[in-house]
Amino acid sequence: MSKNKYTFIQKICSDADIETYLPQLNINGTISMKMKKLCQITVLSKDDIDNRQRILDYIRSLFQPFYPDCLLIAFGSTINGFGTKGGDMDMMFSPSSDYEHLDASEINDDGGTPIISDARENPSVMAQLKNMSKEKQLRFLLRVLRRNRNEIKGAVYIPAKCPIVKFIVSHNYDVWCDLSFQHGLAKYNTELLRFFSVLDSRIKPLMITLRFWARHLKIVKTGAFSSYAFNLLVIFFLQNLEEPILPPVTDLMINAGVRSSVHGLKIGHDCNSS
């Protein structure tokens, strides 16, 4: 992908600058009141979240002719409680509910990315889709998205350690989406941040305010220090105060009712915030 195209994506995907909201924050009151006001006017509303669910359902419907048992799961800021208007939507694709990542010896990457018409008309081609590498499967999904130009715009494949397909869905209003291949920790990370966001009523206004401050100073920006990494820094700080506001994950693990292992890491925490 060209540098100019990536710069365009960075510009479009960045959340609204805090200066957009300053007139609405010009109210009498304490800093705490202004932080709550910023949170109120920027955090995703119920209508925003419902619209994103419709987007998720729509994208899943595009993939199902080729992956009848596929899963498409939203994660990240749309779900964890820290999502803001203008932020992108993270979604994770899995070919099926019981899909397991293939060993190198099991991957069939002979030839190029399948053509959509071949996959539709040739059952053997469709059957082989799940045996391709995650990179090639994402490139195939990119082709599927690009066929639906009425609602899908600007779809591009971005190679990385965790490759993604980035695109815009015009559904009531434009939403930038990042589509990645199944990676088990994303779901648990989202659940943990969601848990922290509701554990103390001060957490969300503090996180939103600090994140807008960090974006305004270009501390957090696309392609550099991410919002997710910044969230973790704030949480770590709140866990390590002399009188901690948030509990450490080790304590949550002790109280975990359900535990599992993902990529050799122990996963589990008690989601009961009472």
Side-chain angles (χ1 to χ4, degrees), residues 155-169:
V156 293
Y157 176 85
I158 300 179
K161 182 177 181 180
C162 181
I164 62 172
V165 172
K166 187 177 283 290
F167 56 97
I168 302 173
V169 178

Side-chain angles (χ1 to χ4, degrees), residues 133-145:
S133 65
K134 64 181 180 181
E135 292 82 5
K136 187 166 284 189
Q137 291 193 59
L138 280 175
R139 288 184 181 277
F140 177 77
L141 296 178
L142 173 64
R143 288 186 170 180
V144 175
L145 292 170

Side-chain angles (χ1 to χ4, degrees), residues 76-117:
S77 60
T78 298
I79 304 298
N80 66 27
F82 298 122
T84 52
K85 300 178 188 299
D88 57 15
M89 178 180 181
D90 296 308
M91 54 182 74
M92 180 172 57
F93 171 82
S94 178
S96 63
S97 59
D98 59 352
Y99 179 82
E100 295 184 5
H101 286 282
L102 303 175
D103 294 331
S105 60
E106 300 175 292
I107 293 175
N108 180 9
D109 266 358
D110 295 338
T113 304
I115 298 172
I116 290 177
S117 58

Side-chain angles (χ1 to χ4, degrees), residues 21-246:
Y21 301 106
L22 286 180
Q24 299 179 64
L25 299 176
N26 188 22
I27 57 175
N28 293 325
T30 63
I31 293 295
S32 178
M33 291 173 61
K34 294 186 178 186
M35 290 169 65
K36 290 179 181 178
K37 180 65 175 179
L38 177 64
C39 187
Q40 177 187 341
I41 62 180
T42 61
V43 167
L44 294 174
S45 66
K46 183 180 183 303
D47 287 343
D48 292 324
I49 294 173
D50 288 345
N51 187 54
R52 291 180 176 223
Q53 181 59 52
R54 287 190 289 270
I55 288 174
L56 195 72
D57 294 340
Y58 169 65
I59 299 300
R60 185 187 297 111
S61 73
L62 299 181
F63 296 160
Q64 282 178 328
F66 308 98
Y67 294 90
D69 302 319
C70 71
L71 299 179
L72 195 63
I73 302 169
F75 69 98
S77 60
T78 298
I79 304 298
N80 66 27
F82 298 122
T84 52
K85 300 178 188 299
D88 57 15
M89 178 180 181
D90 296 308
M91 54 182 74
M92 180 172 57
F93 171 82
S94 178
S96 63
S97 59
D98 59 352
Y99 179 82
E100 295 184 5
H101 286 282
L102 303 175
D103 294 331
S105 60
E106 300 175 292
I107 293 175
N108 180 9
D109 266 358
D110 295 338
T113 304
I115 298 172
I116 290 177
S117 58
D118 290 346
R120 283 185 181 278
E121 299 167 6
N122 191 332
S124 64
V125 174
M126 186 178 294
Q128 288 300 315
L129 290 177
K130 290 196 293 185
N131 294 328
M132 298 189 303
S133 65
K134 64 181 180 181
E135 292 82 5
K136 187 166 284 189
Q137 291 193 59
L138 280 175
R139 288 184 181 277
F140 177 77
L141 296 178
L142 173 64
R143 288 186 170 180
V144 175
L145 292 170
R146 284 178 170 173
R147 289 182 72 253
N148 296 271
R149 296 181 179 178
N150 289 335
E151 294 201 35
I152 308 292
K153 303 174 184 176
V156 293
Y157 176 85
I158 300 179
K161 182 177 181 180
C162 181
I164 62 172
V165 172
K166 187 177 283 290
F167 56 97
I168 302 173
V169 178
S170 298
H171 203 96
N172 293 334
Y173 51 85
D174 288 352
V175 176
W176 267 102
C177 300
D178 287 351
L179 172 68
S180 55
F181 203 82
Q182 173 182 314
H183 46 107
L185 288 176
K187 173 186 174 183
Y188 295 101
N189 290 340
T190 298
E191 289 178 355
L192 182 60
L193 264 64
R194 175 71 177 173
F195 171 72
F196 284 142
S197 76
V198 300
L199 195 59
D200 188 306
S201 61
R202 298 171 293 178
I203 302 301
K204 188 179 292 188
L206 175 65
M207 186 74 79
I208 297 300
T209 302
L210 288 177
R211 218 168 57 191
F212 269 87
W213 165 80
R215 288 197 186 99
H216 186 63
L217 296 180
K218 303 295 189 291
I219 297 171
V220 169
K221 58 183 178 180
T222 304
F225 198 69
S226 69
S227 293
Y228 174 68
F230 189 80
N231 289 345
L232 295 183
L233 280 179
V234 175
I235 288 171
F236 180 78
F237 171 77
L238 296 175
Q239 290 172 323
N240 287 276
L241 296 171
E242 187 173 342
E243 296 184 8
I245 294 175
L246 293 177

